[in-house]
């Protein structure tokens, strides 16, 4: 396939590489950005959800502590444990932002706190946004408060004994109260009361399981009162659960009595009827109820409960949840797992990009590998190896040039082998003749007379002629053919050549003529090495005489040509720019066939392979003529009309 010398920009390898790099970069950046954004968005949502969960857990645990302790003096261990679990820095201050507890230790400056607190911790006024998170929200104030273990009083509960329990959704108050259900204050049962109620509860639950086949269990309320839970709350449970089980214990009765006094005092101030508060903080009243009465009663009940519990809970505090470095957690740092996932996504995109780049690079490098493989095959001796040319870029041009070079090398190798064979043949013939005559003379089969010596001398001269021609060609091939140019008269040079070959021409019955196209009195001058130019013209004359039949004519003709017109030029000097000297050797011989004409200057080539040696020279004369002409900066050409003769032309620069 023909490849243009100048590759269009759109087909250029540089353009393809730039487009490929831009495409791979754009796709990898876009894919990385898209996947990273998607993964990061998911990670941030997860982190936000986890942060909300952690914040709610911290809030609920500390709220439970405040609901069951009258101050913050023992909360340090709880705060440190929460900080270790969540990886955050937790600080609790009073309402004046004076530090009470800090997971980082003492000595933290107030100025380091964020402008806004994460939450307000007040068990008598719960933050409903954090309290309604779907997680564990209640705290027990005693170690192992269940139906089988007795719980100590709130004031004696160790600070590190808090643990999360699940809030019972059915234990809601009959009014919208923001008081934490774990703040029970004077309603906390004594050990004896709890033990007695627990025994009754266990007996009742066992009755439900065995008699009614209910899945019954015993839970414990924050006050320590056991609560019986079953799959179905029906009247038949009454057969196992005594009505006395729901009656207030002495401690609860005293607390309810105190609460009734506070509530009724509030109602008196508003001239509202009195009520009696029950264990579930519902109430009963003798007077007729109205919507306004219920609203007022709820308000008085709520304020009275806060007043009753105020001395049993810790004072309100501010909660600050920050990163360990102290900054507020408004910006969520990604967790190790999410960072790992983002790195995995980015790494996957990079690996895919690398794979695509390698694949595309392989497509680009494949022609170069094919070129290298073919070069190795040629180096190993396979001169027929060629590169398949694909595309129209620079690599295709290199492949096409490589194939051209390989073809020329193959032809050169064929010529070299043919030359070696021809040299061996040309040298073997005279050597064989010399050896044969000498052996015959040694064996007495031939008389070593003058004729034999002359024959041996002729063979030796021919052998010397072949050797000299090979030496000249070798020097020309190596660029070591030395010339000594000078200004010469072309007419004198042709006369010398004609004189040297007159004897051979007369012996062959061929006329030898010379013609020089010059103006009268003006010599035709040229700058050349006289010896080498005479050798070149002599080889042409010798070849012409050899191929011209008896009675024919060989003409030596010379003329000058201008660079811009085909007209004679005489008396030219070396600086006559663009002019040339043309020397022609014209014979009237048999001529050369058109298909053989391009090969007449090849070494050891003969148009008639079967002609005898007496009609042929060394086969190197015309090759030497070409080398000598090229050494002078000129050229030699041949033209022929089969049956009419041939013309060999040497053209030299002026």
């Amino acid at each position: 396939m023909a490849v243009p010398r100048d590759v269009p920009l759109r087909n250029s390898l540089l353009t393809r590489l730039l487009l490929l790099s831009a495409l791979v970069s754009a796709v990898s950046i876009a894919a990385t950005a898209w996947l990273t954004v998607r993964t990061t968005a998911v990670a941030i949502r997860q982190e936000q959800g986890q942060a909300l969960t952690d914040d709610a857990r911290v809030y609920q645990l500390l709220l439970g502590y405040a609901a069951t302790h009258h101050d913050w003096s023992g909360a340090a261990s709880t705060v440190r444990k929460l900080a270790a679990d969540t990886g955050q820095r937790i600080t609790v201050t009073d309402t004046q932002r004076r530090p009470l507890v800090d997971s980082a230790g003492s000595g933290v400056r107030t100025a380091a706190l964020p402008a806004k607190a994460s939450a307000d911790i007040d068990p008598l006024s719960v933050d409903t946004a954090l309290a309604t998170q779907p997680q564990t929200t209640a705290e027990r104030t005693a170690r192992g408060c269940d139906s089988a273990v007795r719980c100590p009083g709130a004031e004696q509960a160790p600070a590190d004994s808090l643990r999360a329990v699940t809030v019972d959704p059915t234990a809601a108050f009959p009014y919208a109260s923001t008081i934490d259900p774990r703040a029970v204050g004077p309603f906390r049962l004594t050990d004896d009361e709890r033990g007695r109620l627990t025994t009754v509860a266990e007996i009742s639950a066992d009755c439900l399981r065995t008699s009614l086949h209910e899945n019954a269990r015993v839970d414990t309320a924050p006050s320590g009162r056991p609560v019986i839970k079953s799959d179905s709350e029906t009247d038949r449970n009454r057969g196992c659960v005594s009505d006395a089980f729901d009656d207030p214990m002495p401690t609860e009765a005293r607390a309810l009595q105190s609460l009734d006094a506070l509530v009724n005092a509030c109602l008196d101030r508003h001239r509202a009827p009195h009520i009696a508060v029950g264990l579930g903080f519902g109430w009963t009243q003798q007077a007729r109820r109205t919507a306004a009465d219920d609203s007022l009663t709820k308000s008085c009940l709520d304020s009275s409960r806060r007043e009753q519990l105020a001395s049993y809970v810790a004072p309100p505090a501010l909660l600050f949840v920050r990163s360990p470095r102290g900054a507020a957690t408004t910006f969520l740092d990604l967790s190790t797992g999410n960072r790992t996932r983002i790195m995995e996504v980015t790494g996957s995109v990079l690996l895919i990009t690398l794979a695509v780049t390698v694949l595309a690079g392989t497509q680009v490098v494949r022609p170069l590998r094919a070129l290298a493989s073919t070069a190795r095959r040629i180096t190993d001796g396979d001169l027929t190896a060629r590169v398949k040319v694909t595309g129209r870029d620079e690599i295709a041009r290199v492949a096409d040039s490589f194939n051209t070079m390989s073809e020329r090398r193959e032809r050169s190798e064929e010529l070299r082998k043919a030359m070696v064979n021809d040299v061996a043949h040309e040298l073997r013939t005279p050597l064989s003749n010399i050896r044969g005559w000498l052996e015959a003379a040694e064996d007495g089969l031939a008389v070593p007379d003058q004729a034999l010596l002359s024959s041996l001398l002729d063979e030796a001269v021919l052998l010397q002629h072949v050797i000299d021609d090979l030496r000249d060609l070798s020097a020309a091939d190596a660029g070591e053919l030395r010339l000594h140019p000078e200004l010469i008269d072309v007419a004198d040079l042709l006369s010398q050549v004609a004189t040297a070959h007159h004897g051979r021409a007369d012996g062959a019955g061929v006329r030898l003529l010379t013609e020089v196209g010059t103006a009268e009195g003006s010599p035709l001058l040229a700058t050349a090495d006289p010896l080498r130019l005479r050798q070149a013209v002599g080889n042409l004359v010798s070849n012409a005489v050899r191929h011209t039949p008896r009675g024919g004519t060989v003409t030596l003709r010379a003329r000058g040509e201008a660079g811009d017109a085909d007209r004679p030029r005489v008396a030219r000097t070396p600086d006559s720019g663009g002019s040339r000297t043309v020397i022609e050797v014209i014979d009237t011989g048999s001529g050369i066939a058109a298909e053989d004409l391009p090969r007449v200057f090849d070494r050891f080539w003969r148009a008639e392979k079967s002609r005898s040696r007496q009609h042929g020279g060394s086969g190197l004369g015309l090759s030497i003529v070409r080398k000598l002409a090229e050494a002078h900066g000129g050229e030699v050409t041949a033209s022929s009309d089969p049956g009419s003769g041939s013309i060999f032309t040497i053209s030299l620069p002026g």
Side-chain angles (χ1 to χ4, degrees):
M1 181 182 71
V3 178
R5 291 183 177 271
D6 296 327
V7 178
L9 184 60
R10 64 179 182 275
N11 295 330
S12 172
L13 178 61
L14 177 61
T15 302
R16 292 170 55 194
L17 290 176
L18 289 177
L19 291 176
L20 176 62
S21 300
L23 179 62
V24 171
S25 299
V27 172
S28 62
I29 291 173
T32 302
W34 183 78
L35 289 175
T36 302
V37 168
R38 290 293 301 272
T39 306
T40 304
V42 172
I44 289 176
R45 286 196 295 269
Q46 292 177 346
E47 297 291 339
Q48 289 175 334
Q50 183 61 43
L52 291 175
T53 301
D54 289 342
D55 288 350
R57 178 169 178 266
V58 170
Y59 174 74
Q60 290 295 344
L61 287 173
L62 292 179
L63 184 65
Y65 179 92
T68 56
H69 294 77
H70 68 278
D71 59 27
W72 293 96
S73 60
S77 60
T78 301
V79 170
R80 284 195 297 269
K81 184 176 184 302
L82 287 173
D85 291 343
T86 60
Q88 301 293 333
R89 178 177 176 180
I90 301 173
T91 303
V92 179
T93 71
D94 60 16
T95 55
Q96 302 302 317
R97 303 175 71 90
R98 291 188 294 266
L100 299 174
V101 185
D102 194 333
S103 61
S106 60
V108 180
R109 294 182 302 172
T110 305
L113 296 172
K116 183 178 180 181
S118 302
D120 295 335
I121 304 177
D122 185 357
L124 303 182
S125 181
V126 176
D127 186 342
T128 56
L130 290 174
T132 55
Q133 293 296 320
Q135 60 177 7
T136 297
T137 57
E139 302 297 325
R140 297 206 183 202
T141 59
R143 183 180 291 108
C145 289
D146 54 27
S147 60
V149 180
R150 303 163 73 87
C151 294
E155 298 303 323
Q156 290 76 32
D160 60 351
S161 65
L162 294 177
R163 64 185 181 87
V165 297
T166 302
V167 172
D168 180 14
T170 64
F173 294 114
Y175 64 96
S177 176
T178 58
I179 300 175
D180 191 283
R182 291 165 293 185
V184 293
F187 288 89
R188 184 173 301 279
L189 299 179
T190 64
D191 293 344
D192 180 64
E193 291 171 336
R194 176 190 294 229
R196 284 186 287 145
L197 286 177
T198 299
T199 302
V200 174
E202 289 289 358
I203 294 173
S204 299
D206 185 64
C207 174
L208 291 173
R209 287 192 292 267
T210 56
S211 301
L212 301 178
H213 306 290
E214 293 285 350
N215 185 16
R217 67 185 185 279
V218 177
D219 290 341
T220 305
S223 65
R225 170 178 280 274
V227 179
I228 301 174
K229 297 293 182 180
S230 62
D231 293 338
S232 60
E233 300 292 338
T234 62
D235 291 340
R236 59 178 180 168
N237 292 353
R238 296 301 177 182
C240 291
V241 180
S242 172
D243 292 338
F245 181 76
D246 296 327
D247 293 339
M249 298 299 290
T251 299
E252 294 170 327
R254 288 192 297 272
L256 286 174
Q257 185 179 4
S258 175
L259 181 59
D260 286 344
L262 293 173
V263 173
N264 290 328
C266 176
L267 292 174
D268 286 340
R269 289 191 296 271
H270 294 85
R271 301 178 184 277
H274 287 194
I275 65 170
V277 181
L279 284 179
F281 298 108
W283 65 85
T284 60
Q285 64 184 49
Q286 299 298 324
R288 182 172 176 271
R289 296 174 57 184
T290 64
D293 291 339
D294 283 347
S295 177
L296 177 61
T297 302
K298 291 177 182 178
S299 175
C300 286
L301 176 60
D302 197 52
S303 61
S304 298
R305 290 190 63 219
R306 287 190 175 88
E307 182 179 355
Q308 184 184 36
L309 296 173
S311 61
Y312 293 91
V313 299
L318 300 179
L319 172 64
F320 296 90
V321 180
R322 299 165 288 169
S323 67
R325 294 180 297 275
T329 57
T330 54
F331 177 78
L332 299 174
D333 294 328
L334 297 182
S335 64
T336 302
N338 283 324
R339 287 197 298 268
T340 302
R341 281 192 290 273
I342 293 175
M343 293 177 63
E344 289 175 352
V345 169
T346 305
S348 299
V349 173
L350 292 178
L351 287 177
I352 295 174
T353 302
L354 179 61
V356 172
T357 304
V358 170
L359 180 62
T362 301
Q363 296 296 325
V364 174
V365 174
R366 183 176 298 171
L368 296 178
R369 290 181 176 175
L371 191 64
S373 176
T374 305
R376 284 194 296 269
R377 289 173 58 191
I378 293 178
T379 303
D380 294 338
D382 183 8
L383 299 182
T384 62
R386 298 292 183 271
V387 181
K388 183 179 180 181
V389 180
T390 57
R392 304 178 67 84
D393 55 12
E394 290 86 349
I395 296 181
R397 291 178 58 192
V398 172
D400 186 63
S401 300
F402 182 86
N403 287 340
T404 302
M405 179 188 67
S406 300
E407 292 171 359
R408 291 179 179 176
R409 179 181 177 183
E410 185 179 11
R411 288 197 298 269
S412 298
E413 185 65 16
E414 293 175 353
L415 291 176
R416 184 190 66 80
K417 292 179 180 179
M419 178 179 175
V420 171
N421 292 333
D422 290 338
V423 168
H425 173 73
E426 296 294 334
L427 295 179
R428 183 172 59 248
T429 300
L431 286 174
S432 297
N433 290 337
I434 294 173
R435 178 182 177 183
W437 283 112
L438 291 175
E439 289 178 350
E442 184 181 28
D443 294 338
L445 300 177
V447 179
D449 54 10
Q450 185 63 37
L452 177 59
L453 293 177
S454 297
S455 176
L456 292 177
L457 180 60
D458 290 340
E459 295 294 337
V461 169
L462 179 58
L463 182 61
Q464 181 65 44
H465 181 60
V466 172
I467 293 173
D468 290 341
D469 287 347
L470 289 173
R471 183 188 61 191
D472 290 341
L473 284 175
S474 176
D477 290 339
E480 299 176 354
L481 189 62
R482 299 183 180 276
L483 298 180
H484 302 281
E486 60 184 65
L487 191 64
I488 62 174
D489 187 336
V490 178
D492 288 344
L493 185 138
L494 294 185
S495 177
Q496 294 173 11
V497 173
T499 300
H501 288 81
H502 260 302
R504 179 176 296 180
D506 292 342
V510 176
R511 285 194 307 159
L512 191 58
L513 305 176
T514 60
E515 297 178 2
V516 178
T518 62
E520 185 177 353
S522 299
L524 178 61
L525 302 178
T527 301
D529 186 326
L531 294 178
R532 291 300 185 182
L533 184 57
R534 190 162 54 243
Q535 179 185 1
V537 177
N539 284 352
L540 292 178
V541 172
S542 176
N543 185 70
V545 170
R546 193 163 47 247
H547 291 85
T548 301
R550 183 175 295 276
T553 301
V554 174
T555 303
L556 280 72
R557 180 183 298 168
R559 69 180 185 277
E561 288 185 352
D564 56 354
D566 292 336
R567 59 183 176 83
R569 183 176 180 88
V570 298
R572 293 181 299 173
T573 61
D575 58 348
S576 54
S579 61
R580 302 185 71 80
T581 299
V582 178
I583 301 173
E584 296 178 333
V585 178
I586 307 169
D587 66 63
T588 58
S590 58
I592 305 172
E595 62 271 15
D596 294 331
L597 200 59
R599 303 188 59 190
V600 294
F601 296 102
D602 292 347
R603 301 173 186 182
F604 297 109
W605 181 85
R606 294 187 178 94
E608 299 177 8
K609 298 298 183 182
S610 62
R611 78 168 178 261
S612 60
R613 293 191 69 258
Q614 60 266 28
H615 295 291
S618 66
L620 299 173
L622 294 181
S623 298
I624 293 176
V625 172
R626 180 173 63 182
K627 290 294 184 180
L628 291 174
E630 292 173 350
H632 282 85
E635 60 179 357
V636 59
T637 59
S639 61
S640 180
D641 185 7
S644 299
S646 304
I647 301 176
F648 287 85
T649 303
I650 297 177
S651 178
L652 301 176

